[in-house]
Amino acid sequence: KGQSIAGAIATGTHGSIIGESGLETHVRAFLFVNGTGAAHWIAHPDHPVLSDAFVRTFASPADPSLFHDSVVHLGGLGYCAAVLLEGVPRFGLSWKKTVEPLAPKWWDAVADAEYAKAAAPIIGEKQPAFYELTFDPNAGLEADVMQTVYWRDDLPADYQTQHDAVTPEEPRDALDIIADGINAFSELMITSRKDRDEDDDEEDGLFSFARRLRLLDIAEMTFDDFREEVAKKPQSDTPESLLALTGDWKARSVFGIRVDTFNAALAVPVADLRRTLEIGCEVASHWRKHFVFTVRFAKKSQAALSFLRFEDTAIINIDGLTRAGLAGWISHSDEFSREFTDALEAAGLPFSMHWGKDIPSDAAKIAADFGDAAQRYRDARAALVPEALREKLCPPQLKEWGLA
């Protein structure tokens, strides 16, 4: 299905734009129906937009003080019927990508949230709007890093968005590259099988394919693909709108059958990024090479339950093979992720897990991370959802997370 606006807001999903936070920070109001026959309009306390008199023509105005405590609602308030979003004028973006090691001073610049200084070797004096880096956990932090930087750039005066004409040369994320690589690997295995002598006694079928799949080096495959992209087109020719650059969401597939890739994400303070990745690489050394680390940056959110709870945040995505279906005994990206987060806790490093991705937090971790903010969410839910309906309007995860 792709990502919905309602789901992105409910889980505090971010766009990784430098200086911005989660999508919920652009919400100016939202409308909930909680099963009582009444609708509740919860407006931003500082940016209400609609007057209470107008709101009363279609809903009951709720206490604005509940806004920040309920906007990342995790599906626990009922049916979200409408959202009022802040828009901005269309703007242009240019991009450049490279594969090279990070200089030692890069880590100091990022630890101080000086992203322009960190990206200067790639884009000079331009101000980065988006900065993505992909690391090979098995190669360590001194090895080559895939880097993509976007910066704001003026669109031509006669520019018209050609959304349906997005070129295949536009930057792809690590998950796209991984899925394409698995597809190519699958085709190679079938081709090589057809070319073998019928008397070949090598094991056949899915078990042979799965055994070979276990040996895949996802990082090597991802980096090779990215290097080819850089060789063909290292930077954009002209600025494009965000709409044109993002294109349409499409399900990843192998032989036309939809497959899901593994993706967990955790937020850490930028000052702790290097040590966090060092621990991740240490843990990854005894797991199969089935994932990469992709890093992006964002700001803290005002929402009580946003996982972007650090003033300057680095988001570490663990992108790789999923444990679903046939890959259930091939890949252990989920087990690695849990060992990684356990190691971070043992080291006393702060982090928060993304609500809407694989491997979310447990109740104890959430209580420790969010404390009073978690209680404010529970109080807001109690104020907005009648007691008789709270059980019916309670996703199973809320109970698991201790937030019901």
Side-chain angles (χ1 to χ4, degrees):
K1 295 180 180 179
Q3 194 173 71
S4 68
I5 290 176
I9 294 169
T11 55
T13 295
H14 60 98
S16 302
I17 297 297
I18 291 173
E20 293 285 346
S21 188
L23 181 59
E24 75 279 358
T25 60
H26 292 278
V27 174
R28 293 295 169 256
F30 55 103
L31 182 69
F32 268 100
V33 179
N34 62 14
T36 63
H40 298 277
W41 181 258
I42 310 172
H44 193 293
D46 302 320
H47 308 283
V49 183
L50 303 181
S51 69
D52 282 355
F54 180 74
V55 169
R56 288 190 183 94
T57 64
F58 63 88
S60 300
D63 183 353
S65 68
L66 299 175
F67 179 86
H68 292 305
D69 297 334
S70 59
V71 64
V72 175
H73 55 81
L74 306 177
L77 298 183
Y79 173 65
C80 182
V83 176
L84 183 61
L85 284 171
E86 174 192 43
V88 298
R90 184 175 62 183
F91 56 89
L93 289 169
S94 292
W95 56 264
K96 186 174 181 179
K97 50 190 174 181
T98 185
V99 186
E100 57 189 68
L102 300 174
K105 61 183 180 181
W106 184 92
W107 297 99
D108 296 330
V110 167
D112 293 331
E114 295 181 348
Y115 306 117
K117 188 174 180 180
I122 304 173
I123 62 171
E125 297 182 357
K126 302 179 182 71
Q127 293 293 317
F130 172 88
Y131 192 5
E132 177 182 271
L133 305 98
T134 298
F135 296 81
D136 178 351
N138 297 99
L141 303 186
E142 310 302 321
D144 281 349
V145 178
M146 292 165 41
Q147 301 179 60
T148 300
V149 187
Y150 288 78
W151 64 92
R152 291 207 180 200
D153 208 350
D154 293 333
L155 291 168
D158 59 349
Y159 179 83
Q160 292 186 353
T161 300
Q162 299 295 321
H163 192 213
D164 295 331
V166 178
T167 73
E169 298 171 324
E170 69 180 21
R172 297 178 295 152
D173 63 23
L175 289 175
D176 292 323
I177 295 173
I178 289 168
D180 289 348
I182 294 172
N183 207 22
F185 175 82
S186 305
E187 292 174 356
L188 177 63
M189 289 300 98
I190 286 181
T191 301
S192 65
R193 177 59 190 165
K194 288 179 179 178
D195 292 342
R196 288 207 309 271
D197 192 327
E198 291 182 2
D199 295 330
D200 192 333
D201 61 359
E202 185 174 342
E203 59 182 315
D204 294 327
L206 290 177
F207 286 104
S208 176
F209 170 73
R211 182 178 60 79
R212 294 173 186 231
L213 192 59
R214 291 174 71 133
L215 301 178
L216 268 182
D217 186 333
I218 290 295
E220 180 180 54
M221 180 183 71
T222 304
F223 273 71
D224 287 348
D225 188 288
F226 193 82
R227 285 189 179 95
E228 290 182 11
E229 288 189 359
V230 172
K232 291 178 182 177
K233 189 171 183 179
Q235 66 182 73
S236 55
D237 299 321
T238 58
E240 290 279 4
S241 70
L242 184 61
L243 177 65
L245 285 170
T246 52
D248 292 320
W249 182 89
K250 295 179 181 178
R252 301 175 180 91
S253 64
V254 173
F255 305 133
I257 301 174
R258 175 173 169 171
V259 295
D260 293 319
T261 43
F262 180 86
N263 178 230
L266 58 149
V268 302
V270 290
D272 293 332
L273 176 60
R274 182 167 193 167
R275 182 58 188 140
T276 301
L277 288 175
E278 287 173 344
I279 291 174
C281 291
E282 291 169 8
V283 175
S285 64
H286 58 270
W287 289 93
R288 294 190 187 99
K289 300 177 181 181
H290 283 179
F291 47 84
V292 294
F293 296 150
T294 301
V295 175
R296 306 183 188 107
F297 305 97
K299 293 288 286 186
K300 181 179 181 178
S301 171
Q302 288 183 287
L305 289 188
S306 171
F307 89 115
L308 300 175
R309 61 189 184 91
F310 310 109
E311 190 60 39
D312 294 295
T313 298
I315 302 98
I316 303 172
N317 290 271
I318 305 167
D319 300 325
L321 295 183
T322 183
R323 194 173 172 79
L326 175 64
W329 65 276
I330 296 172
S331 177
H332 299 277
S333 299
D334 57 338
E335 293 180 24
F336 157 76
S337 299
R338 290 188 176 92
E339 184 176 336
F340 179 21
T341 55
D342 286 347
L344 294 179
E345 290 200 65
L349 290 173
F351 68 94
S352 293
M353 300 303 294
H354 194 303
W355 297 106
K357 296 193 177 185
D358 295 310
I359 319 298
S361 293
D362 57 27
K365 171 67 174 166
I366 290 167
D369 284 351
F370 293 96
D372 291 343
Q375 185 57 52
R376 293 200 308 274
Y377 168 78
R378 286 189 287 265
D379 291 344
R381 187 166 181 265
L384 294 166
V385 182
E387 183 175 3
L389 293 172
R390 278 177 218 151
E391 181 70 21
K392 293 182 179 179
L393 299 177
C394 182
Q397 291 87 347
L398 279 192
K399 294 181 179 179
E400 296 174 11
W401 296 335
L403 294 171

